[in-house]
Amino acid sequence: KFIPARMLVNGRSIFFDKSITSYDYYHVETEEHSVIMADGMLTESYLDTGNRRSFSQKGKVTSISSRNLTWKAAAAPLMVSRETIEPLFRQIEARAERAGYAVQTESRPLTNDSDLHLKTNAGAIIRPIRQNNGRVMFMIPSGVENVRIISNASRPCDVIGPFVDDRRQLGVLVGTVTLFESNRTRTLTDHLHDAQLSGWSNVEEGTMRWTSGNALLPLGERAPGALALMAIEVKAAGPYILDETLSENHALKV
């Protein structure tokens, strides 16, 4: 079975050595995808899944057209499920601790504070006025036709563990969005139906969608001169990597 090395990084026995700033990387392609030995480690030959053009090489070379293979043509199955990877990750991590390997990469502190707010096209920041039963309320000024949903964002593989094969940048998981304006109530659904809407990941279960931390939300036709109350249902949020910028912003809010 093949397991991506990135999913086993534990900061002790397996880590990213950032002291190496330049290196040569060679792909070895065999007629059939193969398990090969490189520097004493079992690995794989190059499997052409359509990214051949992303490599460059100087000098006279023979150009080989892409074969556009899939992992079905691999010498062994590719395993990326958490159920398979996490137990192996824990075994290697525990062995490294018992062997006394020093920590090479410190864990980064996390926070569950999403710092959820809105931003208008004019750059105005709109903070929540209250939260209730998983819904976050915002007062929307008149004339605002769309807003961006801004929040902290992190990748699950960074905040849960590398054994999670999810490298999306996720902000908050948005469900129902309701706009109350001039005795009229509207449910906004563009974020669930427009696949190309800026700043959104894939729709999940047809009823909710993750933002990337900066997602466009059209408000539709507004009543002239009217204020509106918008309720955003947040189905899930965080954790997030706590960086210096977030700490400073949080301190300012407090």
Side-chain angles (χ1 to χ4, degrees):
K1 298 177 181 179
F2 287 120
I3 296 175
R6 60 177 169 79
M7 299 187 72
L8 299 175
V9 172
N10 55 42
R12 290 178 182 266
S13 58
I14 305 174
F15 60 94
F16 292 101
D17 188 352
K18 296 183 179 180
S19 66
I20 302 175
T21 58
S22 178
Y23 54 89
D24 293 323
Y25 190 96
Y26 296 94
H27 272 299
V28 177
E29 185 173 16
T30 53
E31 183 175 0
E32 300 292 336
H33 188 240
S34 305
V35 177
I36 61 176
M37 184 77 73
D39 288 337
M41 177 71 69
L42 288 175
T43 184
E44 58 166 325
S45 62
Y46 171 59
L47 180 65
D48 182 5
T49 55
N51 65 341
R52 185 184 296 276
R53 290 188 177 182
S54 64
F55 304 110
S56 62
Q57 183 172 330
K58 297 180 180 179
K60 295 181 179 180
V61 297
T62 300
S63 177
I64 303 176
S65 60
S66 177
R67 293 192 286 173
N68 288 320
L69 301 175
T70 69
W71 275 95
K72 292 182 179 180
L78 175 66
M79 310 301 292
V80 294
S81 70
R82 180 173 180 175
E83 293 74 16
T84 299
I85 307 301
E86 186 172 7
L88 181 58
F89 173 90
R90 298 300 182 192
Q91 291 175 23
I92 297 173
E93 181 183 48
R95 184 173 63 188
E97 291 177 355
R98 290 194 302 269
Y101 283 98
V103 174
Q104 302 293 329
T105 306
E106 293 288 348
S107 299
R108 301 170 70 179
L110 304 178
T111 179
N112 286 312
D113 179 11
S114 67
D115 190 26
L116 180 63
H117 57 279
L118 306 178
K119 188 174 183 179
T120 69
N121 283 345
I125 301 298
I126 304 175
R127 294 286 178 185
I129 58 173
R130 66 176 182 271
Q131 300 184 35
N132 185 39
N133 293 328
R135 285 173 168 77
V136 185
M137 314 294 184
F138 298 89
M139 190 62 69
I140 309 299
S142 63
V144 175
E145 297 181 350
N146 59 71
V147 294
R148 300 200 75 92
I149 301 175
I150 309 294
S151 71
N152 292 319
S154 289
R155 304 188 307 170
C157 62
D158 294 328
V159 296
I160 299 174
F163 43 80
V164 176
D165 190 36
D166 190 343
R167 289 174 282 176
R168 296 176 298 167
Q169 196 77 7
L170 301 182
V172 295
L173 182 59
V174 175
T176 302
V177 180
T178 309
L179 195 71
F180 305 91
E181 180 181 43
S182 298
N183 298 320
R184 182 175 62 149
T185 300
R186 289 188 290 125
T187 300
L188 306 182
T189 59
D190 279 5
H191 66 296
L192 299 177
H193 298 145
D194 186 350
Q196 304 303 317
L197 197 60
S198 172
W200 296 88
S201 187
N202 298 329
V203 176
E204 300 188 8
E205 300 178 8
T207 60
M208 50 192 171
R209 193 175 184 183
W210 282 99
T211 73
S212 66
N214 186 344
L216 177 65
L217 181 66
L219 304 184
E221 185 178 354
R222 297 287 309 279
L227 295 175
L229 179 68
M230 184 167 71
I232 298 179
E233 181 186 20
V234 178
K235 308 284 285 187
Y240 309 97
I241 294 175
L242 182 66
D243 58 23
E244 294 180 358
T245 301
L246 173 61
S247 299
E248 292 171 0
N249 289 341
H250 184 70
L252 289 174
K253 287 192 298 178
V254 173

